[in-house]
Amino acid sequence: MAPAVVVVGAGVIGAAVTYHLARRGARVHCVDRADRPAAGTTEAGFATATAYRRFPKAYFELNQAGIAEHAALAGDSAPWWHRTGTVAWTDDESFAGYLAQLAEWGCPVERYAADGTSVVFPASGPVAFLPSEGWIDAVAFTRHLLDRAVAHGATLALNAEVTSVSGGVGLADGRRIEADVVVNAGGSAADEIGALAGARPFLGPPRRSLIAHLLVDGDPLSCILRAPEVSIRPDGPGRVVLRSDRVDRGLPPRSGTPDPEFVKDLLDRAARVVPSLGTATVRKASVVDARCARDELPSVGSLSAVPGYYEAVASAGVTLAPLFGKALAARIVDGEPDALVDVFTPDRFEAAETS
Ligand SMILES: Cc1cc2nc3c(=O)[nH]c(=O)nc-3n(C[C@H](O)[C@H](O)[C@H](O)COP(=O)(O)OP(=O)(O)OC[C@H]3O[C@@H](n4cnc5c(N)ncnc54)[C@H](O)[C@@H]3O)c2cc1C
């Protein structure tokens, strides 16, 4: 008989796992303590499908496969998938070497003819175009996956906090859902859920990021930009999203509403790349705390020490969700291995703790 599975978390990863399990015939229940899907990191992130600057090679290949899975799921067109490509350059001399490595790894990468209409490109040095990449409306994508999962027989319970994990899950309101398998897709809360199952902790400390959503005149960008000081992407008509590792490094230790000086710093950096953004209106700016595995790589698959317990956690969860969903469903329902995904086994943290 098809296994009964509880997926804890209705973010983009939990939704993808739920969808693929339901398609394979599992009896699957997705539960989330929030009052809506995608309420965790999924609705707060930058949401590009990218393999840019992903190391080591196995992780780059995983992200490339994630992008391909998005394209396959979206088919000819899907409202959440925007295959715009990424234009990238840096201010360090190693960039040409990095582009050569990308090409060697089989990544489609082109030299970008920087004609500089609305973007200020560097005076010298290569500018690359990665045509297969894109950005995703992560909330719409998550909702779509859950709708499709429910159409395949899955159930979704919101306002349903998991407070125990054993032979299924117990919820804060006293209900129980019996299951053969529990998948921890709890994102930044994965250690809390894992502890309920008797699993070891594996997350690193929270990483803080400032994300700004802008209203702009027209559509100044046709693709994702990765500039040295800032990343910028389109977000639908008249909208743009910004973030910057360099700004994030200086953020004070609190999430929520950012100090205006950091928002201004982010905007200034963006306006040096796309001058028209200097007059944009900030629609929303927030500081997000998110946690991932302490080695910053995914933890996906079963944990040998806890029978029936699986993890699906990643720092590039938007890119990887559909791939993880497909691989975990194949593993849980039909016992099929996945050479790309299985490298990132949750067992590696167990081994590190006992050695
Ligand atoms: C600034 C920033 C930029 C990013 N940019 C990108 C990018 O460009 N590309 C990319 O691929 N990724 C990016 N990411 C990462 C990506 O957003 C996340 O990896 C992804 O959203 C994680 O999805 P998730 O489903 O694992 O977690 P979440 O969306 O956090 O979902 C976890 C869910 O679990 C639920 N939950 C937790 N505990 C319980 C419990 N006890 N009971 C029931 N439910 C529970 C929560 O309510 C939550 O809804 C970015 C992240 C940030 C912060």
Side-chain angles (χ1 to χ4, degrees), residues 234-258:
D235 193 35
R239 292 181 177 215
V240 161
V241 186
L242 313 176
R243 66 172 304 273
S244 163
D245 285 337
R246 293 185 188 180
V247 173
D248 290 349
R249 275 182 221 127
L251 288 172
R254 59 177 178 276
S255 53
T257 306

Side-chain angles (χ1 to χ4, degrees), residues 8-15 31-34 36-50 54 63 138 160-163 171 185-190 192-193 196 207-211 226 233 243 248 288-291 312-321:
V8 186
V12 68
I13 292 182
V31 297
D32 199 298
R33 64 185 174 189
R36 61 193 188 283
T41 309
T42 297
E43 73 176 8
F46 195 61
T48 51
T50 182
R54 301 287 199 238
N63 283 278
E161 178 166 14
V162 169
T163 52
L171 303 178
S188 296
E192 294 163 33
I193 297 160
L196 298 174
R207 281 184 58 176
R208 193 155 291 125
S209 312
L210 170 60
I211 294 266
R226 304 273 183 195
R233 72 156 173 86
R243 66 172 304 273
D248 290 349
V288 186
D289 275 336
R291 299 178 72 192
V313 178
S315 63
V318 172
T319 306
L320 297 172

Side-chain angles (χ1 to χ4, degrees), residues 14 44-45 58 131 223 232 235:
C223 60
I232 312 173
D235 193 35

